[in-house]
Amino acid sequence: MGSVQIVTTVLAAAITAVAVWLAVRAVLKMVAVIRLGQPAPERFADKGTRAKTMLVETAGHTRMLRWGVVGAAHWFVMVGFIVLSLLVLEAYFEVVSPTGGLPLIGGLAVYGLVTEVIAVLGTVGILVLIAIRVRNRPTRPGGRSRFTGSTMWQGYFVEAVVLAVLVMGFVIRGFKVATDHFEYPLWATPVSHALGALLPAWPAGVSVAALIKIAISMTWLIVIALNVTMGVAWHRFLAFFNIFFKREPARPAGSGLGPLRPMTSNGKPLDFEEADPEKDQFGVAQVEQFTWKGLLDFSTCTECGRCQSQCPAWNTGKPLSPKLLVLSLRDHAYAKAPYLLAGGGKDLTGEEKATAAQLAHLDVLTLAEADKPLIGDAEAGGVIDPDVLWSCTTCGACVEQCPVDIEHVDHIVDMRRYQVLIESSFPSEAGVMLRNLENKGNPWGAPQNTREDWTKGLGFEVPRVGEVDDFEYLFWVGCAGAFEDRAKKTTRAVATLLNEAGVSFAILGEGETCSGDPARRIGNEFVFQMLAQQNVETLNEAFEGREPAKRKIVATCPHCFNTLGNEYGQLGGEFEVVHHTQLLAHLVSTGRLTPVQPVDGGVTYHDPCYLGRHNRVFAAPREVLGSAIGGGGGTVGTLTEMPRNSERSFCCGAGGARMWMEEKIGKRINVDRVEEAMSTGARTVAVGCPFCSTMLNDGVNGKGAGEQVEVVDVASVLLRSVKPDTAPGEKETAPTTG
């Protein structure tokens, strides 16, 4: 070992020792913070499925690759980081000796080839990612960037380190080539050989370059160890765990979509009949009241901004950014952690749990952080502003796009639950809706004895449960379908089509009440459970004696469809629920309904969030519309898609109980969506949800385009094609403004 090698070896050992010590300390701190969260025992169930899902998502990059070039570039960088860690390890042998290398595999030509290819592709990948970050920098002219609010220096630092490590790997190999110490042939490592032809034959060059490579790598480790909230770096370790522990690893809609997580206290579902607000946790009022998985979510955020770029609230000038919300909770959790780890914290009555002696060593900034309310405006110094909390439509776009499976919607609703149930703090106009749900069983406050008025004048009898011996489907009409004028036309159209196809069905009539969706998503779990338990009891009685697979329900409202199919199981109601577009698509494909009249003027389709993104029903409504547009006879018409469709469909603005709240900040979400629909040139905007119908019709009226554009349900489009002689009253026209 020469003098150069002695120096490089000592320096490499020293910086590595410091980096490893700091990294271990950082990991222990992160684990301690995450363990502050509440129990979530269900996250440990079905480990086999969890492991499989985690491996598929990470190795296959199934979520990232939906972004095309970005996903491919990130995959090469990820693989490069994992595989080329061996080259960092090899550098420790090279600082000791210029001819050093990894034992066993170090001299294999195939190893040289694989690492060469990965290094080249990783270099290209990181350059692409750097270019994308620079092109989308928040300071660029022309609109908001998905990186707005991200800690940009951290992103640039991480990307620069990756690039430098890859370049130094080639430099080391180049010096080995130049000094004739390289063990791999030209065909396996052409880039290294080409670089070696340009470098001088400096024997110490290998060891010096290896030291630089180690120093860069360990500097990176030191920096992230000193910044435990540096998600852009830590996500490459935490993502594996966050994906493994996702809520429902086997669910095709993805974790955090579809049903909401039930209210829990100390890891157990909350029983409202026995719950005590002084002993049981009602929602989330303090950051430590999130589950440990919630704290892991916050720690894992990569600050990539994909959630932000798809959020309807953020895109229309609202203060909500799912990314910034998660980052605020993350930063607050880690700033408050010393206080919590010292034994501090408030019990459910608001009393301090720690003694003065336990808190005596804490600095004033930590204590100030501990006193911050989780929800509060600027004057109150809250972590999350109320306008942020109430801007969410629970559309799930953030959850859909997150590459590391953060469950934003669950966390938002958990905070809403405390505000509604304990603080009684929510937008005032929503109070009318909640009172109507409690007193009338529907959000509009309509008399229960008018639930069946939509059946009048249909020309055929609509059977009620109990009046017929048997039926194949229970037709869940829903509150909108029973009381709202536009939605009643959809209900009539579906009933007419089912009757035309010879499908035996029955309704509950006055025995039906609200599914509870708006109550649950605004945060009033108590009202939701009251309504849901009543419906489960009614439905179980209606299906008495049937096995779950034959308890078939068809619903026209995606919110009811989601609630009955995905959430009633939490309360003992197991049903097979289909959306009306799924049933209609089946009836068309089997020849029981035959479109005969083509639809003129062009049709575009708006994917309802709770039908498409939350429940993955994308094909059925398009199949129905394609048949109707073509007019049958085996002809399938062409649907004009909006730029944002399917998984990336833009929300109408009504979800998350926003249907009953005023939109006072920024541009109206429904207007933004209507402008996109109108840009297609289609005269008919087809929908599959009564909320979407109301919101888009209002948007069309606001644009003064009621004579040019019609918003109509898929069922009504099909009915016009199947029965062109349908009464004019079935046509849904957007009323024009005066």
Side-chain angles (χ1 to χ4, degrees), residues 115-172:
T115 51
E116 184 92 349
V117 170
I118 291 175
V120 169
L121 295 176
T123 302
V124 173
I126 197 62
L127 288 172
V128 169
L129 295 182
I130 291 172
I132 290 171
R133 185 177 294 271
V134 171
R135 187 184 65 193
N136 291 285
R137 65 193 184 282
T139 56
R140 85 197 196 289
R144 292 184 173 187
S145 162
R146 66 182 174 92
F147 292 118
T148 298
S150 298
T151 313
M152 293 301 288
W153 76 262
Q154 295 180 352
Y156 290 132
F157 171 75
V158 168
E159 288 165 348
V161 165
V162 171
L163 179 60
V165 169
L166 288 167
V167 169
M168 290 311 300
F170 283 117
V171 171
I172 293 170

Side-chain angles (χ1 to χ4, degrees), residues 429-438 442-444 518-519 522 657 660:
E429 60 269 23
V432 177
M433 177 268 291
L434 289 172
R435 286 193 296 273
N436 285 336
L437 286 176
E438 289 189 73
N442 68 85
W444 284 277
I522 202 174
W660 291 274

Side-chain angles (χ1 to χ4, degrees), residues 607-624:
D607 287 276
C609 300
Y610 273 84
L611 180 64
R613 190 155 42 236
H614 278 279
N615 284 284
R616 280 331 200 235
V617 179
F618 300 118
R622 288 173 168 81
E623 290 169 3
V624 173

